[in-house]
């Protein structure tokens, strides 16, 4: 039987991953509306990945015999003034998620829930990648210094990102 405090925190993380997915979908819509289809593609894939993260937690809670609470998701931001503002918000959001995962890990340790610690290892590693990718993208957008030709080059490159699904049996 899973510890109820850890279960509550897992359900809260489930909600955060869902929110992340909707936030990135909102950013994808913003980029599409601004004819930046590469950035939009990158965000759409990001949104799918976040939904996968949510589903990993969903499946894990069920595996442990816990109750999944499908939450109400707050409406994400949908207005930004520049590409850089969106990408900076993305990097900041990933840092927020990392902190949340780390807190969850600490809580699981505190309650000697080693199975949950083990499950969260994948997320800890994933967040290193997420922060690396988003901070690098932020740095590259900053380097463009609003030069439209350089932005166009990055946009073209981001069109090639492909989605790789992940499920609980793979982690
Ligand atoms: Fe995530
Ligand atoms: Fe993420």
């Amino acid at each position: 039987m899973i510890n109820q405090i850890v279960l509550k925190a897992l359900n809260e993380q489930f909600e955060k991953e869902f929110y992340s997915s909707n936030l990135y979908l909102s950013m994808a819509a913003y980029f599409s509306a601004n004819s930046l289809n590469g950035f939009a593609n990158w965000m759409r894939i990001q949104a799918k990945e976040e939904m996968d993260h949510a589903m990993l937690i969903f499946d894990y809670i069920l595996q442990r015999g816990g109750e999944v609470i499908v939450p109400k998701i707050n409406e994400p931001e949908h207005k930004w003034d520049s590409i850089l503002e969106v990408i900076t918000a993305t990097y900041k959001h990933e840092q927020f998620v990392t902190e949340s995962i780390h807190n969850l890990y600490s809580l699981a340790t505190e309650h000697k829930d080693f199975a949950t610690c083990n499950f969260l290892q994948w997320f800890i590693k994933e967040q290193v990648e997420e922060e690396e990718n988003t901070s690098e993208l932020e740095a590259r957008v900053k380097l463009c210094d609003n030069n439209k030709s350089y932005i166009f080059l990055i946009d073209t490159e981001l069109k090639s990102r492909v989605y790789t699904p992940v499920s609980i049996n793979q982690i």
Side-chain angles (χ1 to χ4, degrees), residues 13 17 20 49-50 53-54 94 97 123 126-127 130:
Q13 191 61 40
E17 300 293 344
S20 304
E49 282 194 5
E50 298 302 345
H53 299 169
E94 287 304 331
V97 173
F123 283 82
E126 172 72 11
Q127 283 312 118
E130 295 274 56

Side-chain angles (χ1 to χ4, degrees), residues 32-110:
S32 278
N34 286 285
S35 303
L36 290 159
N37 295 329
F39 280 91
N41 175 57
W42 195 91
M43 282 297 174
R44 271 177 187 245
I45 290 170
Q46 195 71 9
K48 279 187 191 169
E49 282 194 5
E50 298 302 345
M51 188 49 76
D52 282 351
H53 299 169
M55 291 312 292
L56 289 174
I57 298 170
F58 178 95
D59 285 333
Y60 176 71
I61 292 174
L62 293 175
Q63 254 184 359
R64 297 290 310 277
E67 187 190 359
V68 173
I69 316 269
V70 177
K72 176 176 179 283
I73 310 294
N74 289 333
E75 188 180 303
E77 190 65 54
H78 59 94
K79 280 197 172 23
W80 296 274
D81 291 326
S82 66
I83 302 170
L84 182 60
E85 200 187 314
V86 182
I87 302 302
T88 298
T90 305
Y91 179 39
K92 282 210 179 101
H93 185 69
E94 287 304 331
Q95 287 171 288
F96 161 76
V97 173
T98 300
E99 201 191 329
S100 177
I101 297 277
H102 290 178
N103 289 339
L104 184 49
Y105 190 92
S106 294
L107 191 75
T109 309
E110 208 182 293

